[in-house]
Coordinates of all heavy atoms in Angstrom, one line a residue:
S1 N 119.5 69.2 -5.1 CA 118.8 70.2 -4.2 C 117.9 71.1 -5.0 O 118.2 71.3 -6.2 CB 120.0 71.0 -3.5 OG 119.4 72.0 -2.8
G2 N 117.0 71.6 -4.3 CA 116.1 72.6 -4.9 C 116.4 74.0 -4.5 O 115.7 75.0 -4.8
A3 N 117.6 74.2 -3.8 CA 118.0 75.5 -3.4 C 118.6 76.3 -4.5 O 118.8 75.8 -5.7 CB 119.1 75.3 -2.3
K4 N 118.7 77.6 -4.4 CA 119.2 78.5 -5.4 C 120.8 78.5 -5.4 O 121.5 78.2 -4.5 CB 118.6 79.9 -5.2 CG 117.1 79.9 -5.5 CD 116.6 81.4 -5.3 CE 115.1 81.4 -5.6 NZ 114.6 82.8 -5.4
L5 N 121.3 78.9 -6.6 CA 122.7 79.0 -6.8 C 123.2 80.4 -7.0 O 122.6 81.2 -7.7 CB 123.1 78.1 -8.0 CG 124.6 78.1 -8.4 CD1 125.4 77.3 -7.5 CD2 124.7 77.5 -9.9
A6 N 124.4 80.7 -6.4 CA 125.0 82.0 -6.7 C 126.5 81.6 -7.1 O 127.1 80.8 -6.5 CB 125.0 82.9 -5.5
L7 N 127.0 82.4 -8.2 CA 128.3 82.1 -8.6 C 129.1 83.4 -8.3 O 128.7 84.5 -8.7 CB 128.4 81.8 -10.1 CG 129.8 81.7 -10.7 CD1 130.5 80.5 -10.3 CD2 129.8 81.9 -12.2
S8 N 130.3 83.2 -7.7 CA 131.2 84.3 -7.5 C 132.0 84.5 -8.8 O 132.9 83.7 -9.1 CB 132.2 84.0 -6.3 OG 133.0 85.1 -6.0
L9 N 131.6 85.4 -9.6 CA 132.1 85.6 -11.0 C 133.3 86.5 -11.0 O 134.4 86.0 -11.3 CB 131.0 86.1 -11.9 CG 131.3 86.3 -13.3 CD1 131.6 85.0 -14.0 CD2 130.1 87.0 -14.0
N10 N 133.2 87.7 -10.8 CA 134.3 88.7 -10.5 C 135.2 89.0 -11.7 O 136.1 89.8 -11.5 CB 135.1 88.2 -9.3 CG 134.2 87.9 -8.1 OD1 133.3 88.8 -7.8 ND2 134.4 86.9 -7.4
A11 N 135.0 88.4 -12.8 CA 135.8 88.7 -14.0 C 135.1 88.2 -15.2 O 134.3 87.2 -15.1 CB 137.2 88.1 -13.9
T12 N 135.4 88.8 -16.4 CA 134.6 88.5 -17.5 C 135.5 87.9 -18.6 O 135.0 87.5 -19.7 CB 134.0 89.8 -18.2 OG1 134.9 90.7 -18.4 CG2 132.9 90.3 -17.2
T13 N 136.8 87.7 -18.3 CA 137.7 87.0 -19.3 C 138.5 85.9 -18.6 O 138.6 85.9 -17.3 CB 138.7 88.0 -19.9 OG1 139.6 88.5 -18.8 CG2 138.1 89.2 -20.5
E14 N 138.9 84.9 -19.4 CA 139.6 83.8 -18.7 C 140.9 84.3 -18.0 O 141.1 83.9 -16.9 CB 140.1 82.9 -19.9 CG 140.3 81.5 -19.5 CD 139.0 80.7 -19.1 OE1 138.0 80.8 -19.9 OE2 139.0 80.1 -18.1
E15 N 141.6 85.2 -18.6 CA 142.9 85.6 -18.0 C 142.5 86.5 -16.7 O 143.2 86.3 -15.6 CB 143.7 86.6 -18.9 CG 144.1 85.8 -20.2 CD 143.0 85.7 -21.2 OE1 141.9 86.3 -21.1 OE2 143.2 84.8 -22.1
G16 N 141.5 87.3 -16.7 CA 141.2 88.2 -15.6 C 140.7 87.3 -14.5 O 141.1 87.6 -13.3
R17 N 139.9 86.3 -14.8 CA 139.4 85.5 -13.7 C 140.5 84.6 -13.1 O 140.5 84.4 -11.8 CB 138.2 84.6 -14.2 CG 137.4 84.0 -13.0 CD 136.1 83.4 -13.5 NE 135.2 83.2 -12.5 CZ 135.0 82.0 -11.8 NH1 135.8 81.0 -12.2 NH2 134.2 81.9 -10.8
E18 N 141.3 84.1 -13.9 CA 142.4 83.3 -13.4 C 143.3 84.1 -12.5 O 143.8 83.5 -11.5 CB 143.2 82.7 -14.6 CG 144.3 81.6 -14.2 CD 144.9 81.0 -15.3 OE1 144.2 80.6 -16.2 OE2 146.2 80.9 -15.4
A19 N 143.5 85.4 -12.8 CA 144.4 86.2 -11.9 C 143.7 86.4 -10.5 O 144.4 86.6 -9.5 CB 144.6 87.5 -12.6
L20 N 142.4 86.5 -10.5 CA 141.7 86.7 -9.2 C 141.3 85.4 -8.5 O 141.3 85.4 -7.3 CB 140.4 87.5 -9.5 CG 140.6 89.0 -10.0 CD1 139.2 89.5 -10.4 CD2 141.2 89.8 -8.9
M21 N 141.1 84.4 -9.3 CA 140.5 83.1 -8.7 C 141.2 82.0 -9.3 O 140.9 81.5 -10.4 CB 139.0 83.1 -9.0 CG 138.2 84.3 -8.5 SD 136.5 84.3 -8.9 CE 135.9 83.1 -7.7
P22 N 142.2 81.4 -8.6 CA 143.0 80.3 -9.1 C 142.2 79.1 -9.5 O 142.7 78.3 -10.3 CB 143.9 79.9 -7.8 CG 144.0 81.2 -7.1 CD 142.6 81.9 -7.3
V23 N 141.0 78.9 -9.0 CA 140.1 77.8 -9.4 C 139.9 77.8 -10.9 O 139.6 76.7 -11.5 CB 138.8 77.8 -8.6 CG1 137.9 78.9 -9.1 CG2 138.1 76.5 -8.7
T24 N 140.0 78.9 -11.6 CA 139.9 79.0 -13.0 C 140.9 78.2 -13.8 O 140.5 77.7 -14.9 CB 139.9 80.5 -13.5 OG1 139.1 81.3 -12.6 CG2 139.4 80.7 -14.9
K25 N 142.0 77.8 -13.2 CA 143.0 77.0 -13.9 C 142.4 75.6 -14.0 O 142.8 74.8 -14.8 CB 144.3 77.0 -13.1 CG 145.0 78.3 -13.0 CD 146.2 78.3 -12.2 CE 146.8 79.6 -12.0 NZ 148.1 79.6 -11.2
R26 N 141.6 75.2 -13.0 CA 141.0 73.9 -13.0 C 139.6 73.8 -13.8 O 139.4 72.9 -14.6 CB 140.7 73.4 -11.6 CG 140.3 72.0 -11.4 CD 140.2 71.7 -9.9 NE 139.6 70.4 -9.7 CZ 139.3 69.9 -8.5 NH1 139.5 70.6 -7.5 NH2 138.8 68.7 -8.4
Y27 N 138.8 74.8 -13.7 CA 137.6 74.9 -14.4 C 137.5 76.3 -15.1 O 137.4 77.3 -14.4 CB 136.4 74.8 -13.4 CG 136.4 73.5 -12.7 CD1 136.6 73.4 -11.3 CD2 136.2 72.2 -13.3 CE1 136.6 72.2 -10.6 CE2 136.3 71.0 -12.6 CZ 136.4 71.1 -11.3 OH 136.5 69.9 -10.5
S28 N 137.5 76.3 -16.4 CA 137.6 77.5 -17.2 C 136.3 78.3 -16.9 O 135.3 77.8 -16.6 CB 137.8 77.2 -18.6 OG 136.6 76.5 -19.2
L29 N 136.4 79.6 -17.3 CA 135.2 80.4 -17.2 C 134.1 79.9 -18.1 O 132.9 79.8 -17.7 CB 135.6 81.9 -17.6 CG 134.4 82.9 -17.6 CD1 133.8 83.0 -16.3 CD2 135.0 84.3 -18.1
E30 N 134.5 79.4 -19.3 CA 133.4 78.9 -20.2 C 132.8 77.6 -19.6 O 131.5 77.5 -19.6 CB 134.1 78.5 -21.5 CG 133.2 77.8 -22.5 CD 132.1 78.7 -22.9 OE1 132.2 79.9 -22.9 OE2 131.0 78.1 -23.2
E31 N 133.6 76.7 -19.0 CA 133.0 75.5 -18.3 C 132.0 75.9 -17.2 O 131.0 75.3 -17.1 CB 134.1 74.7 -17.7 CG 134.9 73.8 -18.7 CD 136.0 73.0 -17.9 OE1 137.1 73.6 -17.7 OE2 135.7 71.9 -17.5
V32 N 132.4 76.9 -16.4 CA 131.6 77.3 -15.3 C 130.3 78.0 -15.8 O 129.2 77.6 -15.2 CB 132.4 78.3 -14.4 CG1 131.5 78.9 -13.3 CG2 133.6 77.5 -13.7
I33 N 130.4 78.8 -16.8 CA 129.2 79.4 -17.3 C 128.2 78.4 -17.9 O 127.0 78.4 -17.7 CB 129.6 80.5 -18.3 CG1 130.3 81.6 -17.7 CG2 128.2 81.1 -19.0 CD1 129.6 82.3 -16.5
E34 N 128.8 77.4 -18.6 CA 128.0 76.3 -19.2 C 127.3 75.5 -18.1 O 126.1 75.1 -18.2 CB 128.8 75.5 -20.1 CG 128.0 74.4 -20.8 CD 126.8 75.0 -21.7 OE1 126.9 76.1 -22.2 OE2 125.8 74.3 -21.7
A35 N 128.0 75.2 -17.0 CA 127.5 74.5 -15.9 C 126.3 75.2 -15.2 O 125.3 74.7 -14.9 CB 128.5 74.2 -14.8
C36 N 126.5 76.6 -15.1 CA 125.4 77.5 -14.5 C 124.2 77.4 -15.4 O 123.0 77.4 -15.0 CB 125.9 78.9 -14.4 SG 127.1 79.1 -13.0
R37 N 124.4 77.4 -16.8 CA 123.3 77.4 -17.7 C 122.6 76.1 -17.5 O 121.3 76.0 -17.5 CB 123.9 77.5 -19.1 CG 122.8 77.6 -20.2 CD 123.5 77.8 -21.6 NE 122.5 77.8 -22.6 CZ 122.0 76.6 -23.2 NH1 122.5 75.5 -22.9 NH2 121.1 76.7 -24.2
E38 N 123.3 75.0 -17.4 CA 122.6 73.7 -17.2 C 121.9 73.6 -15.9 O 120.7 73.1 -15.9 CB 123.7 72.5 -17.2 CG 123.1 71.1 -17.3 CD 124.2 70.1 -17.5 OE1 125.2 70.4 -18.1 OE2 123.9 68.9 -17.0
Y39 N 122.5 74.2 -14.9 CA 121.7 74.3 -13.6 C 120.4 75.1 -13.7 O 119.3 74.6 -13.3 CB 122.6 74.9 -12.5 CG 121.8 75.4 -11.3 CD1 121.5 74.6 -10.3 CD2 121.3 76.7 -11.3 CE1 120.7 75.0 -9.2 CE2 120.5 77.2 -10.2 CZ 120.2 76.3 -9.2 OH 119.4 76.8 -8.2
A40 N 120.5 76.2 -14.3 CA 119.3 77.1 -14.5 C 118.2 76.4 -15.3 O 117.0 76.5 -14.9 CB 119.8 78.5 -15.1
L41 N 118.6 75.8 -16.4 CA 117.6 75.2 -17.2 C 116.9 74.0 -16.5 O 115.7 73.8 -16.7 CB 118.2 74.8 -18.6 CG 118.7 76.0 -19.4 CD1 119.4 75.4 -20.7 CD2 117.6 76.9 -19.8

């Protein structure tokens, strides 16, 4: 798609994000940020 992407981030550490967003147990913050970087580039 050529549409734009928004990420619901809401935390800046692995532990903090996992406490707020259970999906972090499946996809780490680092994995998600790297995926966003690949999308943007």
Side-chain angles (χ1 to χ4, degrees):
S1 172
K4 293 182 177 180
L5 176 74
L7 174 73
S8 187
L9 181 60
N10 307 317
T12 59
T13 66
E14 204 71 45
E15 300 76 15
R17 195 166 196 267
E18 191 173 310
L20 291 172
M21 306 177 73
V23 71
T24 311
K25 296 176 183 177
R26 187 174 175 189
Y27 302 112
S28 69
L29 178 59
E30 177 61 29
E31 283 180 273
V32 172
I33 296 304
E34 185 55 35
C36 287
R37 181 175 179 276
E38 188 172 336
Y39 161 85
L41 295 178

